Amino acid sequence: MSYAVIYDGNCNLCANFVSILEKFDRGRQFCYIPMQDDQTLQQFNVTPEDCEMGMILIDRTDPTQRWQGSDAAEEITRLLPMGRALIAVYRAIAPIKTLGDSTYIQIRDNRYKLFGKRDRTYHTAYPVGCAADKPNTSCSL
């Protein structure tokens, strides 16, 4: 698991996105941290204020490499099979990229109104620190 995805575990859209991603990836590339996990976020030097700006993707082999918001969504897609070509086209067409960025901001700022808020924080089968072959285990970095 080379990348950590920081997501809003109380947002229905975010939790569903992560659920789909974890089923597809099965912990091969991505592990996950809900924005509500302050202790783990501190280990990555991520503040609650950072989380307000949207999803974060961190390269765990080089934690200085970070993407946030629509850039994080694009990078996650790029890392998936056949995603590199899709994102190359998306990024090459400036109006589409601009529309995607502004749409992400609108969804981020209105996610609870648009998609609802969960009663409990969603925790994945592949949290940071767990081996991909041991889902749902209690692990740490």
Side-chain angles (χ1 to χ4, degrees):
M1 293 184 265
S2 301
Y3 296 90
V5 177
I6 301 173
Y7 66 98
D8 183 347
N10 292 340
C11 167
N12 283 325
L13 175 66
C14 307
N16 288 333
F17 169 76
V18 166
S19 176
I20 291 166
L21 184 58
E22 72 179 329
K23 286 175 185 165
F24 182 75
D25 181 63
R26 298 189 189 276
R28 287 182 209 96
Q29 291 189 84
F30 303 107
C31 57
Y32 308 90
I33 308 166
M35 292 177 180
Q36 293 73 21
D37 184 349
D38 294 329
Q39 185 176 359
T40 303
L41 293 179
Q42 287 176 9
Q43 295 173 15
F44 286 92
N45 296 319
V46 174
T47 67
E49 294 77 23
D50 294 332
C51 293
E52 289 176 20
M53 301 309 295
M55 158 175 50
I56 301 169
L57 178 67
I58 299 173
D59 182 338
R60 294 182 67 205
T61 59
D62 180 4
T64 63
Q65 292 292 311
R66 296 176 180 220
W67 299 264
Q68 185 151 25
S70 60
D71 291 336
E74 291 170 26
E75 189 63 16
I76 289 168
T77 302
R78 190 188 71 77
L79 292 165
L80 296 173
M82 300 188 311
R84 186 177 301 271
L86 177 66
I87 290 302
V89 170
Y90 172 82
R91 289 177 175 167
I93 303 171
I96 294 176
K97 168 81 170 119
T98 301
L99 179 62
D101 292 346
S102 62
T103 300
Y104 182 91
I105 291 168
Q106 291 302 312
I107 291 172
R108 176 198 70 200
D109 293 347
N110 297 289
R111 64 188 178 272
Y112 296 140
K113 280 190 263 182
L114 295 169
F115 301 99
K117 187 173 182 179
R118 301 174 66 86
D119 292 336
R120 288 180 279 170
T121 301
Y122 177 75
H123 294 276
T124 77
Y126 304 99
V128 166
C130 290
D133 59 347
K134 297 179 184 176
N136 294 319
T137 57
S138 177
C139 304
S140 62
L141 280 175

